Amino acid sequence: MRAGPQHGRVRRAAAVLPLLAVVALLAVPPPGGDAGGGTAADAASGVLVVYAAVRLVRHRARPLSRTAAVVLGLPVLGVCAAAVASYDPAVSLPGVVRYLQVFVLVPGAVVLLLRDRRDFRLTAWALVALALAQGAIGAVQNLTATGASYMGADVRAVGTFGAGDVMGMATAVAYGLVAAVALALGSPGRRTRTAALVCAALLLFPLVVSFSRGAWIATAAACALLLVLSGPRRAAGVALAGAALGTVLVAGLGVGSQMVTERVASISQVTAAPDRSVTDRYTMWAAAVGMWRTEPLTGVGLKGFPAHRDGNASLALSSGSDTAGAGQGFVKQPLLSPHNMYLLILGEQGLLGLLALAGSWLALLGCGLRKLRALGLRDGAPRGRFGGPADCGLVAVGLLGWQLVDFAYADIGGPATVLTSLVLGLAGWWALEPAERRAPWTPEPGPAVRGLARPRSGGRAAVAARTGAPDPVAAPVGGGADG
């Protein structure tokens, strides 16, 4: 008995339901407001890995290719070497679990569970929906002065992540904005493009009032990359529209408040007159480099930065950062990481760990860009047998590009870290999925011309050309024009 279409849709939704559950649970506030503890999304990511493993063993469904296994498994080398050579292996053990979860297991599960572009688009739109939800909460926090404390006022948008994780909402909103821009540039349908552009415009304000300089820089870089990849004419048009929107927001609606203006200006003042946060960041960067010089090959061990920080940092380092607001009292947050993922890896895992992790990410980016180039993009118009709409490729490359730039200003930690693993999984699916597993893309037929439908590329007309048989669509009806 053949299953009906409704049953097929249910089975398709069930296949990616654990993945969507991880995204949805990121809207749940951390228990007790503790951004450093386990969250519901972390638990859901574990369920996601188990679910993918069960499907793989039980149905032998979608095993990873050899290339995918090598690229996604490369971080294991540096993580395990650093754990074995650690000064305190017991302290490093939780770090091993966390690194394998974020950079190996969850991305691999995403690659295994995503079956085609429809699943990918569903996940991308889920990221946009999460960003809209968090952005709406953050916008209300800014407008009603109920957010986290910033320059003496509770105006910093943090969403449901709380004052203890001020980067959480900025990361979620930036992911959604980049995904929306990519969908707008690469989707074939006008309604989809319009909806994506509207979502991107709505996410601009909460991103601005997150006051996250790293998220601003990474978003600008990722969007610039997407515009270049989508074609020069489209890039010029979208850039002009973005400049006009920015002018209206800043000059017309007064979104560019004094706080935002000063925050933007501080980006160019990191050497001349850096603020306290910049000074602390530079000091911790120098401490991470000092740890690497002590143990250049394998580092001081996972989770070893706090223990070795004071021995390698100068007196310019403060005792911690002050957080308050968004329902939380004044808390002194200790500085437990250098806020630079590359230097954190270099200090804790040494050169071996940095080459393994960064090599895996660069391989994903290179393979993703190569597949986008194979589409033959020319102002958003794809060509080639496996081309099709470029939205999935642009989403994957845009999100990965955002992450690699943001890692220069941030590292893993907090509830939003699960989003990083999902982004790596999306990039891995696009970059490492063998082309022969994807069915050739056939564009939708154009409007009827004189009662005859336009033949699809690779359809009956192509079959007739290969076999020499007359094309039943193009052949005249009734034996000829005189019939």
Side-chain angles (χ1 to χ4, degrees):
M1 183 177 179
R2 182 175 298 179
Q6 186 68 25
H7 180 68
R9 284 193 292 267
V10 172
R11 291 187 60 184
R12 170 171 294 277
V16 294
L17 189 59
L19 201 159
L20 299 179
V22 175
V23 179
L25 289 174
L26 280 164
V28 179
D34 182 12
T39 64
D42 284 319
S45 69
V47 174
L48 175 70
V49 172
V50 173
Y51 178 73
V54 170
R55 281 179 55 86
L56 179 63
V57 173
R58 184 176 179 181
H59 304 291
R60 298 201 56 85
R62 312 276 309 228
L64 294 175
S65 65
R66 183 177 302 176
T67 302
V70 171
V71 172
L72 294 177
L74 191 59
V76 177
L77 177 63
V79 169
C80 292
V84 171
S86 172
Y87 285 94
D88 192 343
V91 174
S92 297
L93 186 59
V96 173
V97 176
R98 187 61 164 171
Y99 271 83
L100 293 182
Q101 173 207 4
V102 175
F103 298 118
V104 180
L105 296 178
V106 175
V110 173
V111 174
L112 288 170
L113 292 178
L114 292 179
R115 293 168 298 179
D116 52 30
R117 288 187 175 97
R118 285 181 292 181
D119 288 351
F120 188 102
R121 293 186 187 108
L122 185 61
T123 306
W125 279 108
L127 292 178
V128 175
L130 173 67
L132 290 172
Q134 292 287 352
I137 298 174
V140 172
Q141 290 172 338
N142 173 264
L143 296 174
T144 59
T146 56
S149 178
Y150 177 74
M151 297 181 64
D154 295 341
V155 294
R156 189 167 193 173
V158 292
T160 62
F161 293 96
D165 184 17
V166 294
M167 281 295 298
M169 191 216 73
T171 300
V173 169
Y175 280 153
L177 196 154
V178 172
V181 171
L183 291 168
L185 293 173
S187 296
R190 180 174 299 179
R191 292 182 179 179
T192 302
R193 293 197 301 267
T194 302
L197 283 175
V198 171
C199 292
L202 291 175
L203 291 172
L204 280 175
F205 178 73
L207 180 63
V208 169
V209 295
S210 69
F211 297 103
S212 173
R213 291 170 293 197
W216 292 350
I217 295 173
T219 303
C223 291
L225 174 62
L226 292 175
L227 290 175
V228 171
L229 292 174
S230 65
R233 286 184 299 174
R234 178 169 291 186
V238 175
L240 290 175
L245 178 61
T247 302
V248 171
L249 288 176
V250 175
L253 302 180
V255 173
S257 64
Q258 182 180 358
M259 290 183 180
V260 175
T261 304
E262 292 177 357
R263 191 66 166 174
V264 173
S266 68
I267 296 176
S268 60
Q269 297 172 354
V270 292
T271 56
D275 56 25
R276 169 54 60 185
S277 64
V278 174
T279 301
D280 286 341
R281 184 165 302 186
Y282 281 175
T283 305
M284 291 188 294
W285 287 4
V289 173
M291 297 175 198
W292 167 68
R293 289 173 178 169
T294 303
E295 295 291 341
L297 186 60
T298 58
V300 298
L302 299 172
K303 298 288 186 178
F305 182 88
H308 295 80
R309 180 198 62 191
D310 295 338
N312 293 275
S314 67
L315 296 177
L317 183 66
S318 66
S319 58
S321 59
D322 302 335
T323 62
Q328 175 183 304
F330 177 83
V331 176
K332 196 78 170 179
Q333 293 283 354
L335 303 175
L336 303 179
S337 68
H339 297 291
N340 182 304
M341 191 65 200
Y342 305 109
L343 292 179
L344 176 64
I345 297 171
L346 187 65
E348 292 188 345
Q349 302 182 41
L351 189 60
L352 181 61
L354 181 62
L355 290 177
L357 273 163
S360 174
W361 302 334
L362 291 177
L364 290 179
L365 183 62
C367 292
L369 288 172
R370 185 181 62 181
K371 287 202 170 183
L372 268 179
R373 184 180 179 183
L375 292 181
L377 287 176
R378 184 175 299 169
D379 288 311
R383 296 182 289 109
R385 184 185 178 200
F386 293 98
D391 52 352
C392 295
L394 291 175
V395 169
V397 171
L399 289 176
L400 182 59
W402 186 95
Q403 191 61 70
L404 295 183
V405 174
D406 185 70
F407 271 162
Y409 305 93
D411 47 49
I412 60 173
T417 301
V418 179
L419 274 179
T420 301
S421 61
L422 294 182
V423 164
L424 293 175
L426 293 176
W429 181 88
W430 170 256
L432 305 173
E433 176 71 359
E436 59 269 16
R437 287 183 181 173
R438 296 197 296 268
W441 175 71
T442 303
E444 296 181 0
V449 178
R450 294 184 181 178
L452 296 179
R454 185 178 301 172
R456 295 188 178 186
S457 173
R460 289 174 291 190
V463 174
R466 291 194 298 267
T467 60
D471 183 5
V473 174
V477 179
D482 296 333

